C-alpha cells in the first residue's frame, strides 16, 4: 500500500513520565503531578515539535497506593483549557468517561473547550474499567463490558445530536430588528433512548470543528466495533509489528463496512521512546528506571488486570498456568490479553512483566538512538501498521525534549513529518474534514450514527 | 453594629451585559457570548479594580428563544480556567448544579481549578430550577424544591469529604526510599447516603484553599437554611434596604445557630449600576436600554416564573389578581416572590416589570453618577444590609469599566475598598480562614457538616 503522506504524532502527557519510577530520578520534580506550569512547559515543547496533539488519559478514581508514584491527576478538560492558553496550534485531547458522565454536561464541556481553544479539542471516549471507579459513582459493581459499550454508543449519539443542535448560521445579530438568533435553525435532540433522555438543544453554538475530534483506545471486540463506527483517531497498544498490522487492517476494514472513508480513522500505536546518545546509553536508562520500580506496589494492579488474587502471583515466577479468559474479564479486556501474551511468549517472570509494564503499561518500549527510534517509527508506518504514533515519554520533560529535538528533525528531513502547522484546528492537523451538520444534510458520514 | 472594615466586591459577568437588550447597543459585540477574549478583557478590567472575584451564573439548558439575546454560554469551570491564565489574583466563582452532577466529578473539577489558579476557585452551589433543564437529564418533571435541597446538602457533604480525603502533608517524595506518598494520610469518604455512595478518595491533593469557597444564592426558606449551614458568601437580590437588612440579620443569626462565626458568611446583594456623567445621563441610558427590550420574548420566562400561562399575562395590565403562592412553586421560589411584591408594591404593568427585570432580573438597578452609586453602596453597607456587593454591569465591557475606573476610586478614597490585593487566594480576599481538614481535627467549623 502506497502512503506517501506524512505521519501524525501525539504527545501523551503523564505527570513526570510514563515510567512509573520516573519520579525517583534526580532530574524529576516529584510534585509536578498537579503543577500547571509543568504541563504548560510540556505543551510548549510539543508545540515546538509541531506535534498534532497532546493527550491526557483519565479515570475518576485514585489509582493504587499513593506510595507508588505521583498520584494527583488534574481533571483533563480543566487542565487542557489551561494549556490552550499557553499554546497556539497544538490539538488538545482529553479522556472522559461515558459511564460516569451525562451527555449534556460533557458535550457542553468539550464544545466549550473547542470554542476556547479555537478548534483544538478532542475527546478520548472511554467506558472506564475498574470496580474502584464504579464505587465512586453509587455502584457496588462494575457494569458489564458490553453494557458499558452500549451506553457509550448512545452517549456519543446524543452528544452528536447536541453538537449539531445549532446550525452553523444561527446567529443573525440583527440589532435593528432586535432578533439575535434564528430559532428555526435550532434542532433540539428530543432523544429518548435506553440510557438517556435529552430533550433540549445545547446552550453552546456549533464549534469551530463542528464537533470535537472523537478518539478511542479500546481494542477488544466491543472496542473495535465502537472505534470503527465513531472514532476519528485510535490509540492502541501493540508489542509486535504483526499484531499492529492485524489491528490496522481490521479496523480500517471495519470502518469501511460502516460506510466510512478508512483514511478518516487515524491509527496511532503507543511507543515509549527511550533515547540515548548510543543504544547502550538508552538501554542503561531503561535498566536504571526498571531498577527503581518497587514491584510490590505494582502487584495489586496486575492481579486485578488478570482477574486473580495478589497471592496467586509470585514475583520471581512466571504467570500462573491457569488464568481467567478474556471473556471472563469485565475490565480492560484487550490490555489483559496483551499482558498474558507478552508473559507467555517471552516466558517473563512477574517481576519482569512489571518492569515492562512499568515503562509503558503494555505499549511498545523502544530503547535506542534518535536515528533508531525514527527508523522504527518509519518502519511501522511504511509497513501498514500505523498512521502515526502516540508518543509516551518515559521521563518528563526530558524524554519529550529529546524526542522533539532529536527524533522529529530526522522525520522532517525524511519528509515524514510537517515542518510547520498548515492548519489551525486539530482536525486540520489530522487531515480530517469538518463534519457537516446532520440536521441539514451530510455527505459521506464522518462517523456512523446508528439509525 | 460597628464594621470599620472594607467591603467586598464581586463582578458578575454575563455576555455583553446583564441588561437583556445590551447586545443591541451600537457599542456591543453580539458574538461576544462565546468569545474567550471578551471574557479575558473583562477579567483584566475587574482585576485592575482589585475586585475580590469574578462570578458566572449557569444552567445546563438553552434559555428562552435565541431571538431574544445572545444565548451561547461557555461551561463555567472551563471558562474560568481560561480566565485563571489571563489573571493573577482575582477570585473565580463558577456556578454548578447539585441536581445534575455527580460529587466525585464536580469536587474534582473545582479542586483542579483551585490548583490551576493557585487558590482562587469558588463554587456557587445551585439546585437548578426549571423543567427544561430536568428534561436534558433523563427526567420528565423537575424534582421538588425540598428534594433538590436535600440532594444538595448531601452533595456538599460528600464534596467536603472528598476535598479532605488527602491530608495536607500526604506527599513524602522520598526518592531514595521509593515512597511517594503516605497512604495513612488518605481518608476515603466511604460515604453511603440517601442520594450518593462514594467510596474512594479524590485523585487530586488537598488544594491551596483547603476547599473552594462555597457560595450560595437561593433566598427561600430552604435556601437560607442551606446558606446558613454551608455558604461562605451569599449572592442575594433585594429591591429595598429594609428587605436587605431583614435578610442580612436573618442569615447571620442562622449561621450563628449552626455554630459558625457570622462574619464567615459574607452577604453580597446584587446591584446593577447604571453610571452616567450626570444622573440624567444615567437615567437616559436606563430608558434607552428598556426601549430596546422586545417584551414578547420575555413573556414566556415571566409566565414560568409566576406559574401561570403566557395567556394570563397582558403586557399593558398589572399582574393578575390571583397568582400561585410561593409554596405552590417548585422553581425559583424567592425570585417569584420578589417579582410579585415588586409588581404589587409599585403597581407596575407587565411591560414595566419586564423592563425592570430585563435590567437585573430582580436585582436592584441604580442609575446615577459614580458618586451616587458609591453613596448607595456605602449606605447599604453602613446600615447592616451588606458585607459587599455583587456588581452586575448592565453593558459589558463599558459598565464594568466605568465602575472600576469611577466608582472604585471613590470607595478607595473613603477607605472602604482595598487599593491593592493583600492576599493570593479567594479566601484571603474575603477575609476567610483556610479550613482545617476535618479528618485531623478542626477548630470552629467553617461550614456545618451534618452529623
Amino acid at each position: 500500500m502506497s502512503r506517501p503522506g506524512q505521519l501524525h504524532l501525539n504527545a501523551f502527557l503523564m505527570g513526570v513520565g510514563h515510567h512509573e519510577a520516573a519520579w525517583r530520578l534526580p532530574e524529576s520534580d516529584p510534585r509536578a503531578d498537579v503543577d500547571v506550569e509543568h504541563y504548560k512547559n510540556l505543551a510548549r515543547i510539543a508545540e515546538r515539535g509541531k506535534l498534532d496533539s497532546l493527550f491526557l488519559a483519565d479515570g475518576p478514581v485514585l489509582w493504587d497506593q499513593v506510595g507508588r508514584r505521583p498520584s494527583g491527576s488534574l481533571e483533563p478538560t480543566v487542565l487542557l483549557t489551561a494549556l490552550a492558553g499557553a499554546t497556539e496550534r497544538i490539538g488538545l485531547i482529553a479522556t472522559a468517561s461515558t459511564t460516569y458522565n451525562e451527555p449534556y454536561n460533557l458535550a457542553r464541556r468539550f464544545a466549550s473547550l473547542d470554542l476556547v481553544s479555537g478548534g483544538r479539542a478532542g475527546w478520548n471516549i472511554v467506558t472506564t474499567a475498574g470496580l474502584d471507579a464504579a464505587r465512586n459513582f453509587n455502584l457496588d459493581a462494575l457494569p458489564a463490558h458490553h453494557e458499558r459499550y452500549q451506553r457509550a454508543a448512545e452517549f456519543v449519539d446524543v452528544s452528536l445530536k447536541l453538537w449539531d443542535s445549532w446550525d452553523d448560521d444561527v446567529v443573525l445579530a440583527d440589532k435593528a430588528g432586535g432578533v439575535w438568533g434564528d430559532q428555526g435553525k435550532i434542532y433540539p435532540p428530543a432523544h429518548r433512548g435506553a440510557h438517556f433522555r435529552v430533550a433540549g438543544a445545547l446552550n453552546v453554538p456549533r464549534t469551530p470543528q463542528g464537533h470535537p475530534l472523537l478518539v478511542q483506545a479500546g481494542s477488544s471486540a466491543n472496542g473495535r466495533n465502537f472505534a470503527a463506527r465513531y472514532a476519528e483517531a485510535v490509540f492502541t497498544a501493540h508489542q509486535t509489528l504483526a499484531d499492529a498490522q492485524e489491528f490496522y487492517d481490521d479496523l480500517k476494514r471495519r470502518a469501511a463496512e460502516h460506510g466510512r472513508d478508512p483514511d478518516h480513522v487515524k491509527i496511532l500505536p503507543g511507543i515509549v521512546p527511550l533515547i540515548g546518545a548510543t543504544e547502550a546509553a538508552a538501554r542503561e536508562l531503561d535498566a536504571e528506571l526498571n531498577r527503581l520500580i518497587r514491584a510490590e506496589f505494582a502487584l495489586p494492579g496486575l492481579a486485578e488486570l488478570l482477574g486473580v488474587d495478589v497471592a496467586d502471583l509470585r514475583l520471581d515466577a512466571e504467570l500462573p498456568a491457569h488464568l481467567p479468559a478474556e471473556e471472563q474479564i469485565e475490565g480492560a479486556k484487550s490490555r489483559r490479553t496483551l499482558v498474558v501474551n507478552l508473559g507467555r511468549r517471552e516466558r517473563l517472570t512477574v517481576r519482569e512483566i512489571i518492569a515492562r509494564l512499568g515503562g509503558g503499561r503494555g505499549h511498545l518500549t523502544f530503547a535506542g538512538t534518535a536515528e533508531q527510534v525514527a527508523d522504527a517509527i518509519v518502519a511501522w508506518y511504511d509497513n501498514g501498521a500505523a498512521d502515526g504514533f502516540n508518543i509516551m515519554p518515559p521521563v518528563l520533560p526530558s524524554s519529550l525534549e529529546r524526542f522533539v529535538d532529536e527524533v522529529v528533525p530526522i522525520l522532517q528531513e525524511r519528509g515524514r513529518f510537517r515542518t510547520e502547522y498548515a492548519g489551525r484546528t486539530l482536525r486540520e492537523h489530522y487531515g480530517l474534514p469538518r463534519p457537516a451538520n446532520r440536521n441539514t444534510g451530510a455527505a459521506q458520514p464522518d462517523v456512523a450514527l446508528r439509525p
Side-chain angles (χ1 to χ4, degrees), chain A:
Chain A
M1 176 169 32
S2 166
R3 292 182 298 135
Q6 296 182 325
L7 54 85
H8 300 283
L9 296 174
N10 172 75
F12 182 172
L13 305 184
M14 179 170 284
V16 292
H18 282 269
H19 197 289
E20 71 170 87
W23 71 274
R24 296 184 67 186
L25 293 177
E27 73 183 62
S28 295
D29 174 3
R31 294 173 192 271
D33 54 331
V34 292
D35 178 358
V36 70
E37 296 304 324
H38 169 70
Y39 290 96
K40 287 181 181 175
N41 180 44
L42 299 179
R44 291 181 182 122
I45 293 166
E47 190 167 72
R48 184 172 88 212
K50 316 300 178 193
L51 269 55
D52 295 67
S53 48
L54 305 172
F55 165 59
L56 296 171
D58 197 58
V61 61
L62 179 61
W63 302 108
D64 297 325
Q65 301 272 306
V66 298
R68 184 176 181 185
R69 60 181 294 175
S71 303
S73 176
L74 296 166
E75 196 282 322
T77 61
V78 165
L79 179 51
L80 290 184
T81 301
L83 302 188
T87 53
E88 297 283 335
R89 297 289 191 104
I90 196 163
L92 308 160
I93 302 172
T95 299
S97 172
T98 54
T99 304
Y100 304 120
N101 280 288
E102 285 291 326
Y104 198 96
N105 287 338
L106 197 65
R108 183 180 176 212
R109 223 153 72 237
F110 275 101
S112 298
L113 178 58
D114 206 44
L115 282 156
V116 164
S117 66
R120 297 192 279 145
W123 173 24
N124 178 42
I125 306 162
V126 299
T127 67
T128 310
L131 174 61
D132 286 348
R135 295 179 70 224
N136 291 338
F137 292 88
N138 314 314
L139 300 174
D140 293 321
L142 177 65
H145 197 267
H146 70 280
E147 285 176 10
R148 297 204 310 275
Y149 271 96
Q150 284 173 356
R151 179 181 162 108
E154 188 179 335
F155 195 115
V156 177
D157 287 345
V158 176
S159 298
L160 289 165
K161 292 178 184 178
L162 287 165
W163 289 320
D164 282 349
S165 64
W166 290 51
D167 213 339
D168 282 311
D169 56 354
V170 164
V171 181
L172 305 169
D174 176 4
K175 289 185 178 184
V179 181
W180 183 76
D182 181 351
Q183 190 70 23
K185 292 184 173 174
I186 299 288
Y187 312 108
H191 177 90
R192 299 183 76 85
H195 296 86
F196 303 108
R197 283 174 287 154
V198 178
L202 209 58
N203 52 358
V204 176
R206 201 152 191 270
T207 72
Q209 294 192 103
H211 61 75
L213 189 77
L214 300 182
V215 182
Q216 206 270 351
S219 297
S220 65
N222 286 329
R224 290 183 190 206
N225 281 330
F226 186 91
R229 179 179 285 153
Y230 297 110
E232 302 173 282
V234 175
F235 296 142
T236 182
H238 302 289
Q239 289 281 327
T240 68
L241 176 66
D243 284 352
Q245 287 168 324
E246 183 279 324
F247 179 84
Y248 187 94
D249 291 340
D250 180 63
L251 201 60
K252 296 278 182 172
R253 191 187 66 246
R254 289 177 195 243
E257 285 169 5
H258 281 283
R260 300 177 61 199
D261 181 343
D263 193 42
H264 289 175
V265 186
K266 304 297 184 187
I267 297 176
L268 309 173
I271 182 172
V272 181
L274 278 149
I275 304 165
T278 63
E279 186 178 332
R283 293 200 182 283
E284 174 44 33
L285 174 59
D286 191 20
E288 183 187 358
L289 282 165
N290 289 342
R291 273 195 304 272
L292 291 174
I293 292 177
R294 286 190 54 177
E296 61 272 36
F297 281 134
L299 269 182
L302 180 61
E304 185 183 353
L305 180 73
L306 298 173
V308 300
D309 286 337
V310 171
D312 296 336
L313 301 177
R314 286 169 45 221
L315 278 174
D316 295 306
E318 290 183 43
L319 290 175
H322 298 288
L323 290 169
E326 177 171 318
E327 300 75 57
Q328 298 168 268
I329 302 275
E330 293 299 341
K333 284 179 185 284
S334 61
R335 188 58 51 90
R336 170 260 169 218
T337 295
L338 183 148
V339 169
V340 172
N341 289 348
L342 172 69
R344 301 267 191 252
R345 186 174 63 238
E346 305 192 25
R347 303 203 60 176
L348 303 176
T349 65
V350 167
R351 189 186 300 278
E352 288 166 335
I353 290 172
I354 285 171
R356 294 282 278 271
L357 298 177
R361 301 183 310 288
H363 291 266
L364 181 67
T365 295
F366 190 94
T369 63
E371 196 81 21
Q372 288 172 318
V373 171
D375 288 344
I377 284 174
V378 171
W380 278 40
Y381 181 79
D382 284 349
N383 284 284
D387 294 312
F389 283 84
N390 185 21
I391 308 301
M392 302 168 61
V395 184
L396 286 167
S398 65
S399 304
L400 180 62
E401 284 177 320
R402 286 198 89 143
F403 186 85
V404 161
D405 295 337
E406 300 177 25
V407 179
V408 166
I410 297 170
L411 297 172
Q412 288 170 330
E413 278 167 34
R414 299 186 191 175
R416 301 309 188 110
F417 195 62
R418 68 175 69 85
T419 54
E420 195 42 82
Y421 290 108
R424 284 249 158 225
T425 71
L426 175 55
R427 282 179 185 284
E428 288 167 346
H429 302 336
Y430 277 103
L432 296 166
R434 183 175 190 272
N437 190 317
R438 286 162 193 75
N439 292 304
T440 50
Q444 191 185 25
D446 58 311
V447 299
L449 252 195
R450 293 182 305 173

